[in-house]
Amino acid sequence: MHALTENTEDAATQFDFRTSPDQYRHWTISIDGPVARLVMAVDEDSPHAPGYELKLNSYDIGVDIELYDAVQRLRFEHPEVQAVVITSGIQTMFCAGANIRMLGISSHSHKVNFCKFTNETRNAIEDASAHSGQTYLAALNGTAAGGGYELALATEYLMLIDDGNAAVSLPEVPLLAVLPGTGGLTRVVDKRKVRRDLADVFCTVEEGMKGKRAVEWRLIDETVPRSKFDDRVTEKALDFAAKSDRPTNERGMSLEPLQRTIEEDEIRYPFVTVILDRIGRSATLEIKAPDADAPASVEELKKQGVSFWPMAVARAMDDALLHLRFNEPTLGTLIIKTSGDGDRIAAYDKLLGDNQDDWLVREILLYLQRTWKRLDVTSRTTFAFVEPGSCFVGMLAELLFSVDRSYMLDGQLDDRPAPVIQLSDLNFGVLRMANGLTRLETRFLGDDESVANAKKLIGTNLDAQEAMDAGLVTYAPDDIDWEDEIRLLLEERASFSPDALTGMEANLRFAGPETLETKIFGRLSAWQNWIFQRPNAAGESGALKLYGTGKRAKYDRGRV
Amino acid sequence: MHALTENTEDAATQFDFRTSPDQYRHWTISIDGPVARLVMAVDEDSPHAPGYELKLNSYDIGVDIELYDAVQRLRFEHPEVQAVVITSGIQTMFCAGANIRMLGISSHSHKVNFCKFTNETRNAIEDASAHSGQTYLAALNGTAAGGGYELALATEYLMLIDDGNAAVSLPEVPLLAVLPGTGGLTRVVDKRKVRRDLADVFCTVEEGMKGKRAVEWRLIDETVPRSKFDDRVTEKALDFAAKSDRPTNERGMSLEPLQRTIEEDEIRYPFVTVILDRIGRSATLEIKAPDADAPASVEELKKQGVSFWPMAVARAMDDALLHLRFNEPTLGTLIIKTSGDGDRIAAYDKLLGDNQDDWLVREILLYLQRTWKRLDVTSRTTFAFVEPGSCFVGMLAELLFSVDRSYMLDGQLDDRPAPVIQLSDLNFGVLRMANGLTRLETRFLGDDESVANAKKLIGTNLDAQEAMDAGLVTYAPDDIDWEDEIRLLLEERASFSPDALTGMEANLRFAGPETLETKIFGRLSAWQNWIFQRPNAAGESGALKLYGTGKRAKYDRGRV
């Protein structure tokens, strides 16, 4: 355990996102045929950091790390699971939301990172319902308050027990002077389409709502008497399961422990190495190409398990991005590099692209999609450097379109050949951004011709000039300029205000249409970040700080 | 003149938005046939408040109040103007953007309000180009930096003089640690569709860009040698003018001075009275119905000038909303009431609805639309109370769908009849929100049936129960509950954190699609508000504070 507050000296490795069901303290998974139950029974004496107790099924980052793990395992390890019921193991309380005392003592950056991670996990739950044939339901056997209701909102069907007490509520504004910022406001009006004036009422009523009115206002889908609750939950879960296309006769992919070695300035995973430059304030993530040819068939792929290269890369990048976010806040620039045999990647891409209707291939592609999205929303500057020996092909070329800028060497630095990049089918429809477009569609917004031209280049090795002509990289310095240009770029970027960069990047990265997800990360999270800075919430007399002390918050009454 | 900083005691009437060309200090309007020139030559010795000089055509709220007035007058007073060229009266500098020293000494709330107003004015410029047949062009006869370039981005065509020096730039991030927050980031990627990695480069290059590259990157539309600049500007302006549908043989509507009386607790305009309750921290805006029947024809309407009732209401509400925003920051709740003969309003609505292709009727409707939008984005809680004697009909009923909640008395309080509301055609397509939908479409998002049902009710007087059944009001208390319910509502709302309410309302009001405008007010402005709070920008060692002192800002290097 360790502190979450500002000025902790030993920041490194405070947060570890690797876990497994045998280590869970707060959740249990039980599976009965096509239906899994994910039961939350938070151990109040096991907070992730000292200073608070996790009463009333409230959660902190530790609880959410387990949830994230459980959601992943249900997808990969359990093809037979077609519906997932989230419920509580504690009488009368489904979930009280994020732990307030934890929020009160957390630094601004921990609050923001915590919310981003919880949002990503809830988006992953929706992604499973929408794309994996694994539909989530919320069996609210007690009150779902704040983040607890927001968790329920991420499922497709909300059943609330009718016991005279249980309610759903978003009491953040009246009680805590912050927003229901884990998607709550967005999902209430944009997903569940609660009328906006009714949403205004709901979000200011501390005790929330229940019964018929909660159904009429669309806050929940149904209310069920206690005596019939379990049966009705099973019935609805089986209904959803019946619509699933997941196979019942397949074995899952076991998510064996992720191999990782953390040293002072280096983190190593299979196929990914992260080099930390604390003086230059950057981290370089180098992804290595497969060390063997692609499996000949999906059956062969399945035998490889988590060592199947795209899966190994997704797991390593997922963990590395989370590790850097939470443990290395001052490394403001992430640099993406690749190395190895690009032709092999093209073969892996083809295997995945050709077998998208296989459940496991679909899961791997969706996981890659979620991981590249995690890079998109990471509040660090991201650059890609295309150097000799690199292999930005297909699913790795996609990273060129996620980063803020890409630099490709035009020519040679030594006796290795000049670098090339290559597109694959995966760049044109499978790996979408949060805005619903591919990264190339976003890059060439309103310019369909450039997207069509890029499509014609699939499978062709493109040198720096060709990549520039096709608009696929930002700059292509030659060998004389390369080193100086990269050095100046990194120095300049590190000299800017981290906050201004975060805001700028958040606005430039997501041109085009907006979706629930972009609204959550853009509009809702930005407002919550603002409120998290305001004395009315986070000051010494703010509501977050004083919650539970019996003292009343003092507000500056000026509206801004 | 008066201070902008925090803790000014005498806040009242610091900001007056009424002006006219004879009072302008910073702008001149000249008209030649169908083309107007709006020339910015900021008087550096006439800042709106003491403490800074407006060097290099930089602007403050005073400069922008004049611009807003000029844009309004060109639309209403000059039907013959079909294209407007914005240019500079100062050699080599088009506009240096918002005055940095002013921002450095301004309170957080002034910075936020100032940005919101400048954004609204730039949106009004785009609105004129899109809907009024009055297209704006930017003749950049010198450098357009920061907010100067953002002003140019609000026009439809950007011409940059090719004199070896003039450039366009967004130096906010590298120089000031804040965002180009007046629409700049959004318009670069979403309107002009600059590729996002190129936008990243552009927004971090202090000196900006010019020449061929600026055209290739879509930052400007063309670059023109000095010797040909004036001719080319005229040529392009005439091109745009040729496409306009504005009449050449009509007289404009003279925007005579707005009558206003400000007293301690009351502001009076023709047809609008504002009552200030400083103890309860609310303001009540009461709109009165017309005191005469609607004119029989558009010709009669035109004779009435600004005393034409819908025009008088729009002007009064526009001024009142701005006055309250800037001068009464602690009045956190705005209450909308109406009084008078609703049937008369229905007749005015019909006159407007039936004559939408008349240029002046169109202008009046667009002005109403902009004014109701100003209410939508005002960061105050908004309620509407439908009481006996009220006249929420058509264009005023629209306010029921702008506010956060509406309360309608079910029955009578005295011998006056129970209140009714009434819809008109204007509620179904003419008065759109920033998200591009009507307020009823937003209210009933994803529920087309309720919109269709509401449409069937056009022209029918609806009592409280009927209004509730149609989903048009939030609550309908009876005479016994009315007074208590309203009192408790206002007390409760006033007890909440103003910041949390602002964030909540900003997220609940704009469900549905996003547009340039909603992106600017939601995503971009929220991030800017956050950055305006961060020490890296606004702290004593922040970049905004230290700009021009020769000292370098010190940044907290943590990325959040």
Side-chain angles (χ1 to χ4, degrees):
Chain A
M1 294 212 298
H2 42 257
L4 304 168
T5 45
E6 218 86 62
N7 305 321
T8 46
E9 280 306 306
D10 180 25
T13 67
Q14 284 191 355
F15 297 90
D16 191 339
F17 293 83
R18 300 173 308 169
T19 186
S20 57
D22 56 306
Q23 296 174 285
Y24 290 178
R25 294 166 174 274
H26 312 296
W27 292 89
T28 52
I29 304 176
S30 64
I31 296 173
D32 183 7
V35 176
R37 274 168 205 264
L38 206 45
V39 182
M40 186 177 197
V42 174
D43 175 5
E44 64 179 55
D45 298 323
S46 295
H48 190 262
Y52 55 94
E53 292 174 327
L54 294 171
K55 291 189 175 162
L56 295 171
N57 254 10
S58 64
Y59 61 82
D60 66 358
I61 186 75
V63 177
D64 226 59
I65 287 172
E66 292 182 10
L67 175 61
Y68 173 58
D69 184 75
V71 172
Q72 285 284 91
R73 283 180 198 277
L74 285 167
R75 297 173 81 148
F76 280 101
E77 298 189 341
H78 299 284
E80 78 281 10
V81 169
Q82 300 172 322
V84 182
V85 174
I86 301 187
T87 194
S88 167
I90 294 183
Q91 283 290 352
T92 75
M93 179 54 79
F94 170 73
C95 169
N99 187 276
I100 310 306
R101 175 91 185 119
M102 175 277 293
L103 285 177
I105 63 174
S106 291
S107 65
H108 181 65
S109 75
H110 182 71
K111 284 200 279 283
V112 171
N113 273 326
F114 167 68
C115 288
K116 185 175 283 179
F117 179 71
T118 55
N119 270 315
E120 287 172 318
T121 302
R122 279 132 197 85
N123 291 346
I125 287 172
E126 281 182 338
D127 182 56
S129 296
H131 302 298
S132 289
Q134 200 168 69
T135 304
Y136 278 73
L137 300 80
L140 307 176
N141 51 345
T143 286
Y149 179 53
E150 290 181 294
L151 173 59
L153 284 170
T155 73
E156 301 310 302
Y157 199 82
L158 280 66
M159 285 166 279
L160 178 64
I161 198 164
D162 179 9
D163 64 358
N165 284 311
V168 296
S169 67
L170 290 176
E172 284 88 343
V173 169
L175 215 56
L176 304 169
V178 299
L179 301 185
T182 312
L185 295 178
T186 309
R187 286 200 175 90
V188 164
V189 291
D190 273 288
K191 180 182 180 182
R192 296 195 60 89
K193 301 190 168 59
V194 175
R195 225 174 64 202
R196 49 165 289 212
D197 56 338
L198 304 180
D200 181 282
V201 174
F202 175 64
C203 296
T204 54
V205 174
E206 269 180 46
E207 64 277 18
M209 294 194 180
K210 58 191 175 192
K212 209 176 126 196
R213 189 165 65 157
V215 177
E216 282 171 2
W217 287 21
R218 309 196 204 195
L219 297 165
I220 56 174
D221 292 290
E222 62 175 309
T223 172
V224 186
R226 174 181 291 283
S227 61
K228 298 179 183 164
F229 192 73
D230 289 345
D231 287 349
R232 177 65 184 152
V233 167
T234 303
E235 185 186 354
K236 279 306 296 185
L238 288 170
D239 278 358
F240 279 106
K243 295 175 199 148
S244 173
D245 62 356
R246 286 172 78 88
T248 52
N249 56 352
E250 288 249 10
R251 294 182 53 163
M253 177 192 272
S254 173
L255 298 183
E256 284 153 29
L258 178 66
Q259 294 170 47
R260 185 180 73 179
T261 312
I262 297 192
E263 291 173 3
E264 178 64 20
D265 296 323
E266 190 171 320
I267 308 166
R268 283 190 302 275
Y269 305 88
F271 302 111
V272 173
T273 302
V274 185
I275 308 289
L276 313 176
D277 175 2
R278 294 211 169 74
I279 293 164
R281 292 197 297 273
S282 71
T284 301
L285 296 92
E286 182 170 324
I287 307 174
K288 291 178 195 64
D291 52 9
D293 287 342
S297 66
V298 173
E299 290 65 43
E300 292 298 313
L301 176 171
K302 288 179 179 174
K303 285 185 197 152
Q304 294 188 4
V306 290
S307 61
F308 177 59
W309 177 78
M311 187 67 194
V313 168
R315 292 184 85 200
M317 287 294 286
D318 193 8
D319 189 78
L321 290 171
L322 289 171
H323 177 87
L324 291 169
R325 265 197 216 161
F326 278 83
N327 297 308
E328 300 287 354
T330 62
L331 305 184
T333 302
L334 305 186
I335 298 159
I336 309 287
K337 294 187 181 186
T338 57
S339 67
D341 181 351
D343 290 342
R344 278 196 175 134
I345 300 177
Y348 277 83
D349 268 30
K350 186 164 163 37
L351 177 67
L352 293 172
D354 287 351
N355 292 283
Q356 292 180 43
D357 35 5
D358 179 82
W359 79 273
L360 183 61
V361 170
R362 179 172 72 184
E363 282 308 331
I364 293 167
L365 286 170
L366 288 170
Y367 187 25
L368 273 168
Q369 178 170 275
R370 292 196 300 281
T371 305
W372 285 186
K373 279 187 195 179
R374 217 194 273 289
L375 178 62
D376 293 337
V377 300
T378 292
S379 62
R380 311 287 165 96
T381 293
T382 53
F383 292 142
F385 296 152
V386 186
E387 298 171 325
S390 70
C391 53
F392 282 98
V393 172
M395 58 173 264
L396 297 193
E398 190 69 16
L399 297 174
L400 298 173
F401 319 130
S402 168
V403 295
D404 297 311
R405 300 189 203 176
S406 54
Y407 287 72
M408 182 167 182
L409 175 71
D410 186 2
Q412 298 173 266
L413 285 179
D414 45 34
D415 52 4
R416 289 177 299 172
V420 293
I421 66 171
Q422 196 186 114
L423 300 176
S424 84
D425 280 327
L426 298 192
N427 304 117
F428 295 88
V430 180
L431 303 172
R432 290 181 184 274
M433 295 178 63
N435 66 6
L437 302 184
T438 65
R439 284 178 189 77
L440 283 173
E441 284 165 350
T442 304
R443 184 176 184 83
F444 298 124
L445 192 67
D447 173 14
D448 298 344
E449 199 186 326
S450 289
V451 178
N453 285 340
K455 202 159 185 177
K456 290 183 200 142
L457 301 174
I458 287 177
T460 309
N461 278 332
L462 306 171
D463 66 20
Q465 265 321 309
E466 290 164 330
M468 282 296 286
D469 289 346
L472 301 176
V473 294
T474 314
Y475 280 118
D478 64 20
D479 58 324
I480 298 168
D481 293 336
W482 179 261
E483 207 175 312
D484 276 352
E485 192 144 336
I486 297 298
R487 184 176 50 76
L488 289 172
L489 170 70
L490 294 175
E491 283 176 11
E492 184 197 61
R493 199 75 169 195
S495 75
F496 296 153
S497 161
D499 310 318
L501 287 175
T502 293
M504 181 186 86
E505 292 153 4
N507 280 280
L508 295 181
R509 287 178 184 168
F510 301 96
E514 299 265 349
T515 64
L516 267 188
E517 279 188 38
T518 63
K519 281 190 175 190
I520 288 169
F521 288 121
R523 176 183 287 270
L524 180 58
S525 298
W527 281 108
Q528 180 78 303
N529 287 2
W530 178 72
I531 289 165
F532 277 161
Q533 286 271 297
R534 301 279 296 165
N536 286 348
E540 284 311 313
S541 303
L544 265 190
K545 290 278 187 199
L546 293 184
Y547 181 75
T549 62
K551 287 184 207 155
R552 257 189 100 141
K554 284 193 200 118
Y555 295 142
D556 175 345
R557 291 294 166 190
R559 286 284 284 232
V560 177
Chain B
M1 295 210 300
H2 41 259
L4 305 168
T5 46
E6 217 87 61
N7 305 321
T8 45
E9 280 306 305
D10 180 25
T13 65
Q14 285 189 355
F15 296 90
D16 191 339
F17 293 82
R18 300 174 307 168
T19 185
S20 57
D22 55 307
Q23 296 174 286
Y24 291 178
R25 293 165 176 272
H26 311 296
W27 291 90
T28 52
I29 304 175
S30 64
I31 295 174
D32 183 8
V35 177
R37 275 168 206 262
L38 206 45
V39 182
M40 185 179 198
V42 175
D43 176 4
E44 64 179 56
D45 298 324
S46 296
H48 190 262
Y52 55 93
E53 293 174 327
L54 293 171
K55 291 188 176 166
L56 294 170
N57 253 11
S58 63
Y59 60 82
D60 65 359
I61 186 74
V63 177
D64 226 58
I65 287 171
E66 293 182 10
L67 174 61
Y68 174 57
D69 184 75
V71 172
Q72 285 284 91
R73 283 180 198 278
L74 283 167
R75 296 173 82 149
F76 280 100
E77 299 188 342
H78 298 283
E80 79 281 11
V81 169
Q82 300 172 322
V84 182
V85 174
I86 301 187
T87 193
S88 167
I90 294 183
Q91 283 291 350
T92 77
M93 179 54 79
F94 171 73
C95 169
N99 187 276
I100 310 306
R101 175 91 185 120
M102 176 277 292
L103 286 177
I105 63 173
S106 290
S107 66
H108 181 66
S109 74
H110 182 72
K111 284 201 278 282
V112 171
N113 274 327
F114 167 67
C115 286
K116 185 175 281 178
F117 179 71
T118 55
N119 269 315
E120 288 172 318
T121 302
R122 277 131 200 86
N123 291 346
I125 287 173
E126 280 182 339
D127 182 57
S129 296
H131 303 298
S132 288
Q134 200 169 67
T135 305
Y136 278 72
L137 299 82
L140 307 176
N141 51 345
T143 286
Y149 179 53
E150 290 181 293
L151 174 58
L153 284 170
T155 73
E156 302 309 302
Y157 200 82
L158 281 67
M159 286 166 278
L160 178 63
I161 198 164
D162 180 9
D163 65 357
N165 284 311
V168 296
S169 67
L170 291 176
E172 284 88 342
V173 170
L175 214 57
L176 304 168
V178 299
L179 301 185
T182 313
L185 295 177
T186 309
R187 288 200 174 89
V188 164
V189 291
D190 273 287
K191 180 181 180 183
R192 297 196 59 90
K193 300 190 168 57
V194 175
R195 225 174 65 202
R196 49 165 288 213
D197 56 338
L198 304 180
D200 181 282
V201 173
F202 175 63
C203 296
T204 54
V205 174
E206 270 179 46
E207 65 276 19
M209 293 195 180
K210 58 191 174 190
K212 209 175 126 196
R213 189 165 65 157
V215 177
E216 280 171 3
W217 287 22
R218 309 195 205 194
L219 297 165
I220 56 174
D221 292 290
E222 63 174 310
T223 171
V224 185
R226 174 180 291 284
S227 61
K228 297 179 183 164
F229 191 74
D230 289 345
D231 287 349
R232 178 65 184 153
V233 167
T234 302
E235 185 185 356
K236 279 306 298 184
L238 288 170
D239 278 358
F240 279 106
K243 295 174 200 150
S244 173
D245 62 356
R246 287 172 79 86
T248 51
N249 56 351
E250 288 250 9
R251 291 180 56 161
M253 176 191 273
S254 173
L255 298 183
E256 283 151 30
L258 177 66
Q259 295 170 46
R260 184 180 73 181
T261 313
I262 297 191
E263 290 174 4
E264 179 64 21
D265 298 321
E266 191 171 320
I267 308 166
R268 283 190 303 274
Y269 305 88
F271 303 110
V272 173
T273 303
V274 185
I275 309 288
L276 312 176
D277 175 1
R278 293 212 170 72
I279 293 164
R281 292 196 297 272
S282 71
T284 301
L285 295 91
E286 182 170 325
I287 307 173
K288 291 177 195 65
D291 51 9
D293 287 343
S297 65
V298 174
E299 289 63 45
E300 292 299 313
L301 177 170
K302 287 178 181 176
K303 283 186 199 150
Q304 295 189 4
V306 291
S307 61
F308 178 59
W309 177 79
M311 187 68 194
V313 168
R315 292 184 87 199
M317 287 294 286
D318 192 9
D319 189 77
L321 290 171
L322 289 171
H323 177 87
L324 291 168
R325 264 198 216 160
F326 277 83
N327 297 309
E328 300 287 355
T330 62
L331 305 183
T333 302
L334 305 187
I335 298 159
I336 309 287
K337 294 188 180 184
T338 57
S339 67
D341 181 352
D343 290 341
R344 277 197 176 135
I345 300 177
Y348 277 82
D349 269 30
K350 186 162 163 38
L351 178 67
L352 292 173
D354 288 351
N355 292 284
Q356 292 181 45
D357 35 5
D358 178 82
W359 78 274
L360 183 61
V361 170
R362 178 171 74 184
E363 282 309 329
I364 292 167
L365 286 169
L366 289 170
Y367 187 27
L368 275 168
Q369 177 171 273
R370 291 195 301 281
T371 305
W372 285 186
K373 280 188 196 180
R374 218 194 271 289
L375 179 61
D376 293 337
V377 300
T378 292
S379 60
R380 310 287 167 93
T381 293
T382 53
F383 292 142
F385 296 152
V386 186
E387 297 172 327
S390 69
C391 54
F392 283 98
V393 172
M395 58 173 266
L396 297 193
E398 189 70 15
L399 297 174
L400 298 173
F401 319 129
S402 168
V403 295
D404 297 311
R405 299 188 203 175
S406 54
Y407 287 72
M408 182 166 180
L409 175 72
D410 186 1
Q412 296 172 267
L413 285 179
D414 45 33
D415 51 5
R416 288 175 301 170
V420 293
I421 65 171
Q422 195 187 114
L423 300 176
S424 82
D425 280 328
L426 298 192
N427 304 116
F428 295 87
V430 179
L431 302 173
R432 290 179 184 277
M433 294 178 65
N435 66 5
L437 302 184
T438 64
R439 284 179 189 78
L440 283 173
E441 285 165 350
T442 304
R443 185 176 184 83
F444 299 124
L445 193 67
D447 173 13
D448 297 344
E449 200 186 325
S450 289
V451 179
N453 285 341
K455 203 161 183 175
K456 289 182 201 144
L457 302 173
I458 287 177
T460 308
N461 278 332
L462 306 171
D463 67 20
Q465 266 321 310
E466 291 164 328
M468 281 296 286
D469 290 345
L472 300 177
V473 294
T474 314
Y475 281 118
D478 63 20
D479 58 324
I480 299 168
D481 293 336
W482 178 261
E483 206 174 314
D484 276 352
E485 192 144 338
I486 297 297
R487 185 177 48 78
L488 289 172
L489 170 71
L490 293 175
E491 283 175 10
E492 184 196 60
R493 199 74 170 197
S495 75
F496 296 153
S497 160
D499 309 319
L501 287 175
T502 293
M504 182 186 86
E505 292 153 4
N507 279 280
L508 295 181
R509 287 177 186 171
F510 301 95
E514 300 265 348
T515 63
L516 265 188
E517 279 187 38
T518 64
K519 282 190 175 191
I520 288 168
F521 288 121
R523 176 184 285 271
L524 180 58
S525 298
W527 282 108
Q528 181 77 303
N529 286 3
W530 178 71
I531 289 164
F532 277 160
Q533 284 272 297
R534 302 279 295 164
N536 286 349
E540 285 309 313
S541 302
L544 265 191
K545 289 279 187 196
L546 294 184
Y547 181 77
T549 64
K551 287 185 208 157
R552 259 189 97 141
K554 284 193 201 119
Y555 295 141
D556 175 347
R557 290 295 165 190
R559 286 283 284 231
V560 177

